[in-house]
Amino acid sequence: MAVCARLCGVGPSRGCRRRQQRRGPAETAAADSEPDTDPEEERIEAGAGALCGVGGGGSAGPSPPPRCSLLELPPELLVEIFASLPGTDLPNLAQVCTKFRRILHTDTIWRRRCREEYGVCENLRKLEITGVSCRDVYAKRINPRVKSGRFMKILPDYEHMEYRDVYTCLLHRYRHILGLWQPDIGPYGGLLNVVVDGLFIIGWMYLPPHDPHVDDPMRFKPLFRIHLMERKSATVECMYGHRGPHNGHIQIVKKDEFSTKCNQTDHHRMSGGRQEEFRTWLREEWGRTLEDIFHEHMQELILMKFIYTSQYDNCLTYRRIYLPPSHPDDLIQPGLFKGTYGSHGLEIVMLSFHGRWARATKITGDPNIPAGQQTVEIDLMHRIQLPDVENLRNFNELSRVVLEVREQVRQEQQQQQQKDGPEDGEGCGRQSPREPQRSPAQPSAGPPTQKGSEPGDGGAAAAEEQTAQCGQGQPFVLPMGVSSRNEDYPRTCRMCFYGTGLIAGHGFTSPERTPGVFILFDDNRFGFIWLELKSFSLYSRVQATFRNADAPSPQAFEEMLKNIQALTS
């Protein structure tokens, strides 16, 4: 302890000088006669000297270097050292001494921590040049007619703001809400991405492109933002509506859950009443007017969604979601995809791999299959060899091939159930923890994989696998009678697998899994043919980068999937 105190230049050495001023001559002389090191320190120094003597062949070693105090280092070097430490450790460092506390007021230190820990790259003194992203949020997405001068009046006074306040009062305080979240909007769900944008924390709601353009980029709009209006005071503003930012509130309910509340809901209303609000919502949500939609059932679904979601414009609860972890033997990179769902439009699903299974979980949903449910499940151990193009146009031929594979899967499940016993019968259709995980891209040579190929045509399956590995693919066309929202689907595919799709009545009544075909087109697109519905869904990868969205462990991701599914079951 004495060594550390002298290294920093504080502690007993400085305290002794203070005590000497208060002592009399006799006490000072007695104190000077006492050794200035404790026995433990002398033992350590003696041991170090002995080691030096051994290394030098018994001769006296070189004299120890003079002791150096951190306080003797130049301030610019201390700034570099302190800026390399985590921001959470800096307040403790400020309590060591007055000099450290004074150096920690250097804005360069906190600016670096904001940049390295939260990605803040803006310069507070040049916000009018570098902070245009925040201006775009207001001027382009909230009110295109607003003037830049009027916008600048509602901006914080950055000229007198410090990065230390940005870090401690904004970034560190609200760090727990950064990442991906699913809003609790009944069966519809959603995808919220909370990020540090400039010197703001903004919650962006991600929306699929307009139906049926599945390959178009995602759309997004701000729901709330947090920033420092005054020094050491964070302000939460609701961005919903078309009248600009207004007063809001954020409450962190518990771990991985928070809620937002709007305190000025009158900003959400429009002068034209509910009809104008509905027409505006319809243009933003679907990119068209109600007169352009001729399908009566589709009109009912759209009106139902508007009425339901408008009830949540003042208060919302969000639950954290993670991106799926990836493994080298995954069929493709897991992640978020947008897919076509008939009259329900485009929805967002999450593709993840679980040993021999691949599953697509809904992030956004509809009244039939709500968000959180597993819409598609693929058996990666049962490949399907599609007929040639001419026979593939015949729906009955494709149906025959898929039903034969389904019967093989059923027989294997029964055999597995008899082998494991009645107590394990419920999990016979899924991978057991004891079952070894096999690479989905290279099915094993055992009987299950051979059965998963086209019955009686093992050579064709091998040829298809060889062609797929070469990157050439095989021709693909939808059978006659199978409906598709997007006719611009790929005409070649890599490989196909047996799978099941979840269907249900309105209100998620009588859910059941029906057989289908999973078609892998390329690294960013796949499809699924629903045999019973005679429908085809095309999925395209969400091309966006999400920070703070990785699961801390595979177990945490599995637990997250169970939680979001349980909320809508």
Side-chain angles (χ1 to χ4, degrees):
M1 193 69 181
V3 176
C4 296
R6 284 206 308 273
L7 179 63
C8 295
V10 297
S13 60
R14 186 174 65 179
C16 289
R17 289 193 296 269
R18 293 177 179 175
R19 287 194 295 270
Q20 288 173 3
Q21 297 175 358
R22 295 194 300 266
R23 293 172 181 168
E27 295 177 351
T28 303
D32 292 340
S33 63
E34 296 179 358
D36 60 349
T37 58
D38 57 10
E40 180 66 16
E41 182 182 344
E42 292 178 350
R43 185 184 65 80
I44 296 175
E45 294 178 351
L51 290 176
C52 294
V54 172
S59 60
S63 60
R67 292 168 178 170
C68 178
S69 170
L70 286 176
L71 293 176
E72 298 174 2
L73 296 177
E76 56 270 15
L77 185 56
L78 290 177
V79 169
E80 279 296 315
I81 296 174
F82 295 166
S84 303
L85 300 175
T88 53
D89 294 341
L90 298 183
N92 296 331
L93 188 62
Q95 299 178 5
V96 174
C97 63
T98 304
K99 182 175 181 179
F100 284 6
R101 187 182 305 112
R102 184 171 61 253
I103 292 177
L104 285 173
H105 278 86
T106 306
D107 218 29
T108 306
I109 299 175
W110 297 98
R111 180 179 181 182
R112 181 173 171 182
R113 299 322 313 151
C114 291
R115 181 181 68 251
E116 294 185 359
E117 296 183 25
Y118 297 100
V120 176
C121 300
E122 278 68 20
N123 189 337
L124 290 175
R125 310 298 175 250
K126 298 180 181 179
L127 183 71
E128 66 276 7
I129 299 176
T130 60
V132 293
S133 60
C134 303
R135 183 179 311 205
D136 290 341
V137 169
Y138 185 85
K140 294 183 179 179
R141 296 188 177 90
I142 302 303
N143 191 347
R145 298 181 298 274
V146 72
K147 302 298 182 182
S148 59
R150 179 183 168 191
F151 174 76
M152 292 301 296
K153 290 180 181 179
I154 67 170
L155 283 178
D157 184 11
Y158 291 108
E159 195 65 31
H160 301 89
M161 192 175 295
E162 298 180 355
Y163 274 100
R164 180 180 182 179
D165 299 330
V166 174
Y167 184 94
T168 57
C169 303
L170 177 66
L171 303 179
H172 183 71
R173 178 182 178 184
Y174 290 98
R175 68 192 184 279
H176 296 298
I177 69 172
L178 298 177
L180 286 179
W181 304 82
Q182 185 182 49
D184 184 9
I185 314 180
Y188 298 103
L191 180 64
L192 179 79
N193 187 25
V194 183
V195 298
V196 177
D197 186 354
L199 295 171
F200 291 71
I201 292 179
I202 300 183
W204 296 99
M205 178 68 83
Y206 275 69
L207 305 172
H210 294 142
D211 181 56
H213 307 292
V214 69
D215 288 325
D216 287 356
M218 295 282 287
R219 300 174 295 122
F220 46 90
K221 64 179 181 179
L223 289 191
F224 63 86
R225 72 179 185 183
I226 315 172
H227 59 106
L228 297 183
M229 286 297 292
E230 298 178 0
R231 188 175 181 181
K232 299 182 180 180
S233 176
T235 299
V236 179
E237 293 179 330
C238 176
M239 306 285 285
Y240 190 87
H242 297 78
R243 297 172 59 181
H246 46 282
N247 189 21
H249 175 72
I250 286 182
Q251 179 182 3
I252 300 178
V253 180
K254 57 182 179 180
K255 186 178 182 296
D256 296 336
E257 182 176 330
F258 77 97
S259 62
T260 59
K261 181 180 180 181
C262 176
N263 298 330
Q264 295 176 288
T265 55
D266 57 301
H267 282 63
H268 303 174
R269 308 280 80 89
M270 303 186 72
S271 58
R274 297 289 283 177
Q275 292 185 356
E276 183 181 359
E277 295 173 10
F278 174 68
R279 288 194 299 268
T280 304
W281 175 86
L282 188 59
R283 286 194 302 268
E284 295 178 352
E285 187 80 10
W286 293 84
R288 62 183 76 177
T289 63
L290 194 62
E291 291 75 15
D292 299 333
I293 304 174
F294 302 102
H295 200 288
E296 184 177 352
H297 178 60
M298 192 172 184
Q299 292 180 354
E300 295 177 356
L301 292 175
I302 292 174
L303 184 59
M304 183 187 310
K305 184 176 182 179
F306 170 74
I307 296 175
Y308 194 97
T309 56
S310 60
Q311 302 174 7
Y312 292 85
D313 63 349
N314 62 334
C315 186
L316 270 176
T317 300
Y318 304 87
R319 296 177 178 85
R320 184 180 295 278
I321 59 176
Y322 299 113
L323 292 178
S326 60
H327 305 88
D329 57 351
D330 288 340
L331 191 63
I332 59 174
Q333 179 72 20
L336 298 175
F337 291 78
K338 43 196 184 311
T340 56
Y341 279 88
S343 300
H344 299 291
L346 299 187
E347 298 182 11
I348 305 173
V349 302
M350 177 184 292
L351 179 67
S352 57
F353 293 91
H354 312 262
R356 62 171 289 183
W357 302 96
R359 301 187 178 104
T361 304
K362 280 195 171 186
I363 302 300
T364 62
D366 52 69
N368 291 73
I369 306 297
Q373 296 297 319
Q374 293 178 1
T375 175
V376 173
E377 186 175 59
I378 306 103
D379 188 347
L380 299 176
M381 300 309 299
H382 287 85
R383 290 275 297 274
I384 290 182
Q385 171 65 27
L386 295 177
D388 54 58
V389 176
E390 293 301 324
N391 291 328
L392 183 58
R393 296 182 183 275
N394 186 346
F395 178 80
N396 294 331
E397 180 65 19
L398 177 64
S399 179
R400 180 190 65 81
V401 172
V402 175
L403 293 180
E404 286 183 2
V405 177
R406 184 182 69 169
E407 184 61 28
Q408 294 170 1
V409 173
R410 186 177 299 172
Q411 293 176 5
E412 292 173 8
Q413 291 178 355
Q414 293 177 354
Q415 294 174 2
Q416 186 70 26
Q417 183 178 0
Q418 295 175 358
K419 180 180 178 180
D420 295 342
E423 65 277 4
D424 297 332
E426 294 182 0
C428 62
R430 299 185 181 268
Q431 184 176 13
S432 169
R434 297 170 294 177
E435 182 179 350
Q437 295 186 0
R438 287 168 284 189
S439 172
Q442 298 177 354
S444 65
T449 305
Q450 294 175 355
K451 291 180 182 180
S453 304
E454 170 67 359
D457 193 5
E464 179 200 2
E465 182 174 355
Q466 182 178 1
T467 304
Q469 292 177 353
C470 295
Q472 299 175 1
Q474 66 175 113
F476 175 80
V477 64
L478 285 178
M480 298 294 294
V482 175
S483 62
S484 174
R485 296 288 297 177
N486 194 333
E487 296 297 333
D488 188 21
Y489 59 87
R491 293 308 193 265
T492 58
C493 66
R494 291 183 182 178
M495 56 185 73
C496 301
F497 294 90
Y498 172 78
T500 58
L502 183 63
I503 62 174
H506 187 84
F508 197 45
T509 56
S510 305
E512 62 173 324
R513 292 204 164 270
T514 61
V517 183
F518 172 84
I519 307 105
L520 178 63
F521 295 113
D522 51 46
D523 290 337
N524 297 317
R525 289 179 296 180
F526 66 87
F528 191 81
I529 298 178
W530 312 72
L531 287 187
E532 184 168 331
L533 302 178
K534 288 189 176 182
S535 175
F536 171 74
S537 293
L538 178 64
Y539 301 83
S540 179
R541 185 182 298 275
V542 174
Q543 301 288 352
T545 302
F546 300 102
R547 297 188 59 182
N548 306 296
D550 296 330
S553 65
Q555 294 76 15
F557 176 77
E558 296 289 344
E559 188 67 23
M560 180 271 299
L561 287 182
K562 294 179 182 179
N563 291 337
I564 64 175
Q565 185 177 6
L567 293 174
T568 57
S569 297

